[in-house]
Amino acid sequence: MTRARFLRFLFFILLLPFALSAKALAAMVPQVFKKGKETRPITPVNEFYVEDYSGPPKSLRQGTANWKLNVTGKVDNPLSLNYQQILKRPSVKRIITLNCIGNPVGGQAIDNAEWEGIPLKDLIDEADPHFFTSTMILRAEDGYFESIPLKKAKHPGAILATKMNGEPLNLNHGFPLRLLIPGLYGIKQMKWIKEIEIANHSPKGYWHKKGWSKQAKVKIISRIDSPENNETLFTRQAVIKGIAFAGDRGIQYVQVSIDGEKTWSLAKLEKPLSPYSWVFWSYPCTFAKAGRTLIAVRAADQFSGIQQDDLRDPFPNGTSGIHRIEVQVF
Ligand SMILES: Nc1nc2c(c(=O)[nH]1)N[C@H]1C(S)=C(S)[C@@H](COP(=O)(O)O)O[C@H]1N2
Ligand SMILES: [Mo]
């Protein structure tokens, strides 16, 4: 071994325990709920996964009397809006799928809802940011903080939502106001938001400080929902079904393999509910023989090509690992 290689090796060994403990510190544990066998296009509010680092803030349990949304920092026209003023502004509806960056391959920490609220762009335009500004620093009532490039405020899907599936937001999902920006993982979709500071520096967010991605751009995912892993199928004919999602980049096609990934076939896609929604796919097939059968799925978006199976660990950037299941065919 050369000296340089030995030093690199030593460096790696010495850092290993730190890397492992950093990972433990960074544990992100979404709460998921039992669902029916069929995944529904719009997830009912009470089945929608919940994740936050310390629960809903107590201050909001009493209502919004002490709550305001402030747009501050390098702007010509700082804003301070109470709940009633927010409700009076023109609103839009957006169907947006939310996906936790910690969601494992085949995991359930991804759901879809129709959100209603005010376009983020309108609010930021009204505040009138100074010319050389680059960032929105976000702060929430529970102490959560994040930063997001200011250009994301121009995203046509970005809204500050007051409603979820036609009902006022509940406390778990961010009442009175939460942010949604298509294309980014859940860590950026701030609940209980109270301040947007326009700045030209970008401090680390809560999860970024613990080693998770700064950008949090969603990767392509696809999931098999039916049949289930280890299910026994009593006929050779089956319809394999599931979802695929690529943030705001649109799913172009989905492929299924039933022969241990030797060959792939195109699945049928349903029309997505919006440009920012998951897509339902199905693949009717006949299994060649009885016995243990491997099923896998992969998807492609409109821009970056086919889903890659290289990194299956969600930490630190989220995973696009291929979902594989095994069934017993009779
Ligand atoms: N204020 C605040 N917003 C937050 C969080 C948080 O801990 N505090 N967690 C984020 C994470 S990691 C995810 S995945 C989504 C989950 O949103 P949901 O609970 O509505 O599904 O909220 C995000 N917004
Ligand atoms: Mo998350």
Side-chain angles (χ1 to χ4, degrees), residues 52-84:
D52 38 65
Y53 81 102
S54 74
K58 286 194 187 69
S59 55
L60 286 166
R61 263 181 229 159
Q62 317 305 331
T64 54
N66 297 313
W67 175 89
K68 273 191 169 173
L69 175 71
N70 293 306
V71 184
T72 63
K74 299 185 182 307
V75 293
D76 275 353
N77 180 35
L79 304 174
S80 183
L81 303 169
N82 65 28
Y83 189 49
Q84 296 312 319

Side-chain angles (χ1 to χ4, degrees), residues 28-30 49 51-52 99-103 109 144 185-187 207:
M28 196 187 286
V29 193
Y49 87 90
E51 168 150 12
D52 38 65
N99 185 14
C100 177
I101 194 169
N103 193 30
Y144 196 70
Y185 279 119
I187 44 176
W207 289 108

Side-chain angles (χ1 to χ4, degrees), residues 46-181:
N46 61 357
E47 290 180 10
F48 201 105
Y49 87 90
V50 174
E51 168 150 12
D52 38 65
Y53 81 102
S54 74
K58 286 194 187 69
S59 55
L60 286 166
R61 263 181 229 159
Q62 317 305 331
T64 54
N66 297 313
W67 175 89
K68 273 191 169 173
L69 175 71
N70 293 306
V71 184
T72 63
K74 299 185 182 307
V75 293
D76 275 353
N77 180 35
L79 304 174
S80 183
L81 303 169
N82 65 28
Y83 189 49
Q84 296 312 319
Q85 289 169 313
I86 299 251
L87 291 178
K88 278 197 208 111
R89 295 176 68 104
S91 71
V92 293
K93 289 178 183 168
R94 299 273 182 269
I95 293 176
I96 302 171
T97 297
L98 209 62
N99 185 14
C100 177
I101 194 169
N103 193 30
V105 176
Q108 298 292 321
I110 173 168
D111 281 306
N112 193 35
E114 183 199 70
W115 312 90
E116 186 174 343
I118 59 180
L120 181 61
K121 183 181 180 300
D122 293 359
L123 198 79
I124 301 299
D125 283 350
E126 193 175 320
D128 202 3
H130 293 170
F131 201 76
F132 292 106
T133 47
S134 58
T135 317
M136 294 180 282
I137 301 172
L138 312 173
R139 297 188 184 90
E141 199 69 33
D142 62 341
Y144 196 70
F145 49 95
E146 260 302 339
S147 52
I148 296 183
L150 180 56
K151 64 174 189 282
K152 289 281 177 198
K154 296 213 167 69
H155 196 293
I159 63 169
L160 287 158
T162 54
K163 285 184 171 176
M164 180 179 185
N165 296 350
E167 300 162 28
L169 270 182
N170 69 22
L171 211 48
N172 274 334
H173 293 291
F175 170 83
L177 194 66
R178 81 153 321 148
L179 180 68
L180 293 147
I181 301 181

